[in-house]
């Protein structure tokens, strides 16, 4: 069974294997981005990006992420606010 990114993010709070799996999932994007930098900078930058990724995952609260309907409601409220301001 393949786990979703959401499931892995939730598990990563207690399971280092889930955290490692997420980092591996982002590896192709990291490599692609690193190809735009100088060769001599890539190893250090790779470590920094992975550190930042792990840090963000650890801090991210998946339970506070709004569902589709909540997000739609928030966007509609923001849109109404902007129209009401005359913008």
């Amino acid at each position: 069974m393949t786990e979703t990114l959401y499931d892995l993010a939730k598990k990563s709070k207690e399971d280092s294997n889930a955290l490692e799996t997420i980092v591996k999932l982002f590896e192709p994007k990291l490599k692609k981005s690193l190809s735009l930098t100088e060769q001599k900078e890539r190893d250090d930058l790779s470590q920094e990006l992975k550190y930042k990724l792990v840090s963000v995952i650890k801090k991210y609260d998946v339970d506070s992420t709004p569902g589709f309907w909540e997000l739609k409601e928030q966007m509609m409220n923001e849109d109404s606010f902007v129209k009401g301001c005359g913008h």
Side-chain angles (χ1 to χ4, degrees):
M1 179 176 117
T2 305
E3 294 181 286
T4 64
L5 186 57
Y6 174 84
D7 294 331
L8 289 168
K10 199 165 183 125
K11 284 174 77 175
S12 71
K13 304 299 180 203
E14 299 129 16
D15 183 0
S16 62
N17 290 329
L19 186 59
E20 187 176 335
T21 300
I22 294 172
V23 172
K24 285 181 182 176
L25 287 172
F26 280 91
E27 191 77 31
K29 177 60 179 164
L30 292 174
K31 285 184 179 181
K32 177 83 170 164
S33 297
L34 290 170
S35 71
L36 303 172
T37 63
E38 292 184 37
Q39 182 70 38
K40 64 182 181 181
E41 304 292 331
R42 290 183 189 168
D43 287 339
D44 289 341
L45 187 54
S46 175
Q47 287 181 349
E48 284 293 321
L49 289 171
K50 288 176 184 177
Y51 173 79
K52 189 67 170 175
L53 180 60
V54 168
S55 175
V56 168
I57 293 166
K58 287 287 193 180
K59 291 178 185 176
Y60 186 69
D61 182 11
V62 293
D63 295 325
S64 68
T65 305
F68 173 79
W69 298 110
E70 292 88 3
L71 183 60
K72 181 180 179 213
E73 183 69 28
Q74 287 176 5
M75 292 177 73
M76 290 182 74
N77 288 339
E78 288 175 10
D79 193 39
S80 298
F81 176 75
V82 170
K83 287 180 182 175
C85 290
H87 292 129

